[in-house]
Amino acid sequence: METKSKNIFSSITLWWMLTVIILFIVLAFLGLFMRTEQANLLPGLQEYFYSAMTLHGIGMAGIWYVGSMAGVIYVSAKYISPSKKVQNFSYITSVLGIVVILISVVIGKFAAGWYFLYPLPFKGTWPMWSTVAFLLGITILGVSWLVWNFDYLRAVSEKYKLHHALGWQYISGKEEPVTPPFITITTTSVIACFAALISAVILIIFYFTEIGTEKMNDALLMKNLTFFFGHLIVNLSMYLGVGIVYDVFPEYTGRYWKNNRAVSIAWNFVLLLVLFAYFHHLYMDFAQPVWMQYAGQIASYTSSIPAAIMSIFGTLAIVYKSNIKWNLSSSFMFLGIMGWAIGGIGAVIDSTVAVNTVFHNTLWVPAHFHTYMIAGLVMIIMGYFFHVVLEISESNRNERTSQIILGLYLIGGYGFVMAFYMAGADSIPRRYSSYGWDVISKGPFWAEMGLFFGLLLFLAILLYFIVFFNKWKKAYHTLQ
């Protein structure tokens, strides 16, 4: 049953993976372009900075969500039966949504930022049709992912009762029925994803009601909806990736995670708290009710505890004296979990009200979420992708090349985010296309440092793609 189910999703999963990695290369290049602009090395191209920032941000958030979700579907075939038709539908509509967004940004020069914070989409120099196209692209993606999430929960419900999928039997002290920790983690995450995507739908509806009318929406409500959606979808992408690690990483250590009371409590706790953590994005909005500001700091602090104890220390525990088989896949997944911890610390620091009042509009903010992504989620999913192509193709591993890729990635990745952290500590503002004033004269220096390490990171990504694509071709031909 396991092999048959996996074969059902092997082909479409390969296409998901190839699409994600190719888009990752393009979006990473845009990131380098932005750091080059901030270093004042391409002064004639500053007009493209904010369009690049928009595409880079929305693209990175989107591709790693679909990368995580596609991986979850592939792994879940061992336990449940998601619909292949829905998987194909999600792939086609996601590509369509991406194309529409590309048109709005590349041709229409839409440049309101990935968060498209109200009322920026209506205030730029770009034509109105590009705003409509961008919102339409987001709508297509939202509908596609809602269907995807719904089908996953449907498949889970066919095998498990909801309270069993969430692991409540373990919380009550029972050991039966057995629920894999992968199912508990992904079920809690997908339920929260539903909330995020529904908020996105409501947000887009509000935007469309304003087009061509004199109507104006409430800016604070729109901002709450935006960050509820954006913060959730990025965090839940990581949680889905962590669920994959729970299931796949033990194949390298020979030790397996088991669901129990602690695991179930932790992930149910996360499901509750992650819904309120986004409030830390609105500390500067003084019209926001004060209790929400307190809730933002409390939720941000406490939501990191269960995940850290269960996942980070759990990963260390199953590696300790395990004779683990280290290769590119296992190394990326292990270091991705550890990088998640580092990025999480930066996020917790920033979510402290007293600190946020100083760091909020500085490069400390992109520092922590780039760490969360580059050193965390991206490493987990790239490691998993490599695991899948090796599994399907039954290929040998090139250890020498893997060591070079891993070394370049770690040096380039951590050097790249460190330049953000140091700039943030120097109060260099974020979202600036260039730094020309004396007060922020250090901005170009830190941008140059970031660009240098970013080029090393980009080289690692290109080398990874070359090795990955060779294995991908073998995997693809194996399925023919």
Side-chain angles (χ1 to χ4, degrees):
M1 175 65 181
E2 179 178 334
T3 302
K4 180 181 178 182
S5 297
K6 277 195 172 183
N7 286 341
I8 291 175
F9 297 107
S10 293
S11 181
I12 186 63
T13 302
L14 287 178
W15 284 110
W16 272 118
M17 293 190 299
L18 184 62
T19 303
V20 167
I21 297 301
I22 291 174
L23 289 174
F24 179 41
I25 293 172
V26 174
L27 297 171
F29 177 79
L30 291 179
L32 291 178
F33 166 75
M34 286 187 286
R35 290 308 263 165
T36 305
E37 282 293 326
Q38 291 176 329
N40 297 328
L41 298 178
L42 293 172
L45 298 177
Q46 286 182 0
E47 64 177 297
Y48 301 105
F49 179 88
Y50 292 104
S51 291
M53 185 178 74
T54 300
L55 190 56
H56 174 81
I58 195 74
M60 286 296 192
I63 65 170
W64 296 114
Y65 169 75
V66 298
S68 297
M69 192 65 187
V72 163
I73 297 297
Y74 187 81
V75 173
S76 72
K78 294 192 293 184
Y79 308 109
I80 58 177
S81 301
S83 167
K84 185 179 180 182
K85 290 182 179 179
V86 168
Q87 180 81 336
N88 291 335
F89 167 81
S90 298
Y91 178 79
I92 294 169
T93 49
S94 292
V95 171
L96 176 61
I98 291 168
V99 170
V100 174
I101 291 173
L102 280 171
I103 292 172
S104 73
V105 175
V106 176
I107 299 177
K109 294 183 173 54
F110 182 80
W114 81 268
Y115 36 79
F116 53 102
L117 195 60
Y118 181 85
L120 288 178
F122 301 129
K123 299 297 183 180
T125 57
W126 50 86
M128 180 57 69
W129 72 260
S130 66
T131 294
V132 174
F134 184 85
L135 296 175
L136 179 61
I138 297 294
T139 302
I140 294 170
L141 293 176
V143 171
S144 172
W145 298 348
L146 271 173
V147 173
W148 207 2
N149 278 249
F150 179 81
D151 180 71
Y152 185 77
L153 292 180
R154 174 204 59 77
V156 169
S157 68
E158 288 181 348
K159 180 73 177 291
Y160 306 92
K161 293 181 179 179
L162 179 60
H163 59 284
H164 291 157
L166 295 173
W168 290 2
Q169 71 273 28
Y170 297 106
I171 298 175
S172 66
K174 299 177 182 179
E175 297 297 326
E176 299 290 338
V178 175
T179 304
F182 169 83
I183 292 295
T184 297
I185 296 168
T186 55
T187 301
T188 57
S189 299
V190 170
I191 289 172
C193 277
F194 244 100
L197 293 171
I198 289 173
S199 72
V201 170
I202 296 171
L203 176 69
I204 296 300
I205 290 173
F206 282 150
Y207 266 116
F208 278 124
T209 60
E210 190 168 328
I211 295 174
T213 69
E214 298 297 322
K215 171 182 168 57
M216 291 190 67
N217 287 294
D218 182 273
L220 188 59
L221 172 61
M222 298 289 277
K223 189 170 184 179
N224 272 270
L225 288 170
T226 299
F227 281 104
F228 181 79
F229 156 65
H231 184 268
L232 259 183
I233 208 72
V234 172
N235 275 267
L236 295 171
S237 299
M238 172 59 84
Y239 296 163
L240 294 172
V242 171
I244 293 171
V245 172
Y246 266 68
D247 202 87
V248 174
F249 192 65
E251 294 183 23
Y252 296 93
T253 65
R255 295 174 180 170
Y256 293 83
W257 266 289
K258 292 183 180 180
N259 211 339
N260 53 39
R261 177 179 289 178
V263 171
S264 297
I265 289 175
W267 284 100
N268 278 268
F269 199 47
V270 167
L271 170 61
L272 174 65
L273 292 172
V274 75
L275 299 175
F276 300 97
Y278 85 94
F279 287 142
H280 66 238
H281 287 281
L282 289 94
Y283 288 157
M284 299 297 103
D285 295 89
F286 302 111
Q288 187 89 335
V290 175
W291 71 265
M292 290 186 177
Q293 312 291 38
Y294 286 118
Q297 180 164 312
I298 293 170
S300 299
Y301 271 51
T302 52
S303 64
S304 63
I305 297 172
I309 293 174
M310 290 300 103
S311 303
I312 296 167
F313 291 113
T315 302
L316 290 171
I318 68 170
V319 167
Y320 183 66
K321 292 185 177 180
S322 66
N323 294 318
I324 182 173
K325 301 172 184 176
W326 289 113
N327 58 34
L328 191 61
S329 300
S330 58
S331 297
F332 263 66
M333 284 189 279
F334 175 78
L335 292 170
I337 292 290
M338 298 305 112
W340 175 32
I342 297 169
I345 291 171
V348 168
I349 291 172
D350 187 53
S351 67
T352 305
V353 173
V355 176
N356 190 269
T357 56
V358 178
F359 279 171
H360 179 76
N361 280 317
T362 72
L363 287 173
W364 183 278
V365 176
H368 90 252
F369 65 68
H370 276 89
T371 308
Y372 184 91
M373 296 295 285
I374 291 172
L377 177 59
V378 175
M379 291 195 79
I380 289 173
I381 300 304
M382 285 173 65
Y384 175 68
F385 282 0
F386 205 71
H387 169 85
V388 172
V389 293
L390 290 177
E391 179 183 70
I392 295 175
S393 65
E394 300 180 353
S395 300
N396 295 323
R397 299 164 175 82
N398 189 330
E399 301 299 340
R400 177 68 175 172
T401 306
S402 297
Q403 292 172 3
I404 295 172
I405 293 170
L406 188 62
L408 282 172
Y409 192 98
L410 291 175
I411 295 171
Y414 278 101
F416 181 76
V417 298
M418 185 55 66
F420 275 131
Y421 280 117
M422 296 304 294
D426 268 342
S427 298
I428 306 301
R430 58 184 171 131
R431 302 196 190 102
Y432 276 46
S433 61
S434 62
Y435 301 107
W437 306 335
D438 291 339
V439 71
I440 51 176
S441 59
K442 290 184 180 179
F445 169 77
W446 290 120
E448 287 177 5
M449 291 298 100
L451 178 61
F452 170 76
F453 286 106
L455 289 170
L456 295 181
L457 175 63
F458 193 69
L459 177 59
I461 295 168
L462 291 178
L463 289 175
Y464 171 90
F465 176 74
I466 292 170
V467 176
F468 167 83
F469 187 61
N470 286 332
K471 306 297 183 185
W472 186 93
K473 288 188 293 184
K474 291 181 181 179
Y476 182 78
H477 290 307
T478 298
L479 297 176
Q480 302 309 303

